[in-house]
Amino acid sequence: MGETRTAAELDQEAAVRGYMEDFYRDGKPPWDCGITPPELVALVEGPDALAPGRALELGCGTGTNAVYLARHGWQVAAVDLVDRAVRQAREKAAAAEVDIPVLCADATRLDEVGLPGPYDLFFDLSCYCGIPPHRRDAYAAGLTRRAAPGAHLLMFGYGPGAFDDLVSGVTADELTARFTGWRLVDVTPGTNPVPTFWFTLHRRRHGVSPG
């Protein structure tokens, strides 16, 4: 059976899609600056770097970070909601001569696309924080179903109140509550003029454990 959504929920989803499409149409998405953030670089190249494995980027934009991961030995897949961004990401991957399946898809409906996982790393640069609240449990569940034991999730998000709307924003308490079977291991404030945070979560290797 299909999911049932209220008119208000459908309006929220359409508004978010339109908002994202407008940014890419104007060529000025603030989260897609073309530079891989140092937080991801540290995870991939730092003293405690992860061993390359399989990675999924959620809300990949024009593909800067997916290409970066592929160039550093990761087997990468990526999704974005905006067709214009997906086309640019595919072009960027082709120019870099890296093999990245980039799909135009909703990060809260991963079961509808052919990305079964498992993945060792998930990267989210301000995707989750813009998802309407009624779709966030689906995002967490879809990601968790695709997570290898011990997987990492690195997420950048805007805090509540950063924008004048009733949808965007994320807190550490929310992630702890929604991501069952994960452990929030780090929260680092961003350097933006509005509240932002970098969240690092680890998938527990043996399911949910106390503490």
Side-chain angles (χ1 to χ4, degrees):
M1 296 179 63
E3 61 184 293
T4 301
R5 291 174 283 170
T6 67
E9 290 172 345
L10 289 168
D11 286 346
Q12 280 188 340
E13 292 178 37
V16 168
R17 182 186 293 270
Y19 178 77
M20 300 298 177
E21 289 174 345
D22 286 347
F23 267 113
Y24 280 102
R25 188 178 299 111
D26 295 340
K28 299 177 181 178
W31 57 86
D32 199 340
C33 66
I35 300 172
T36 296
E39 290 79 6
L40 180 59
V41 173
L43 197 62
V44 172
E45 301 183 60
D48 298 315
L50 301 178
R54 301 186 70 198
L56 176 61
E57 184 175 7
L58 301 140
C60 67
T62 61
T64 297
N65 302 304
V67 168
Y68 166 80
L69 286 166
R71 283 175 161 168
H72 285 81
W74 288 81
Q75 183 180 346
V76 186
V79 300
D80 199 276
L81 189 64
V82 179
D83 182 68
R84 186 184 297 264
V86 168
R87 291 198 304 269
Q88 293 180 46
R90 290 172 178 167
E91 291 168 1
K92 192 173 289 186
E97 298 183 342
V98 291
D99 182 16
I100 302 173
V102 184
L103 304 181
C104 190
D106 185 336
T108 74
R109 295 180 170 87
L110 293 177
D111 289 342
E112 297 177 6
V113 296
L115 297 172
Y119 296 99
D120 307 291
L121 173 64
F122 300 89
F123 183 61
D124 177 332
L125 187 67
S126 73
C127 175
Y128 177 90
C129 68
I131 292 171
H134 69 275
R135 294 302 307 166
R136 294 188 179 190
D137 281 339
Y139 173 108
L143 188 152
T144 298
R145 281 194 292 273
R146 289 158 177 78
H152 289 67
L153 165 59
L154 179 62
M155 176 189 292
F156 172 84
Y158 291 90
F163 299 102
D164 186 20
D165 62 56
L166 300 177
V167 175
S168 61
V170 59
T171 66
D173 287 345
E174 178 191 346
L175 295 179
T176 298
R178 288 194 194 272
F179 282 79
T180 303
W182 295 75
R183 186 165 58 94
L184 181 64
V185 297
D186 185 70
V187 181
T188 300
T191 58
N192 308 72
V194 296
T196 57
F197 303 92
W198 284 94
F199 303 99
T200 304
L201 294 91
H202 289 176
R203 177 76 167 123
R204 294 190 175 102
R205 292 185 178 276
H206 303 289
V208 180
S209 61

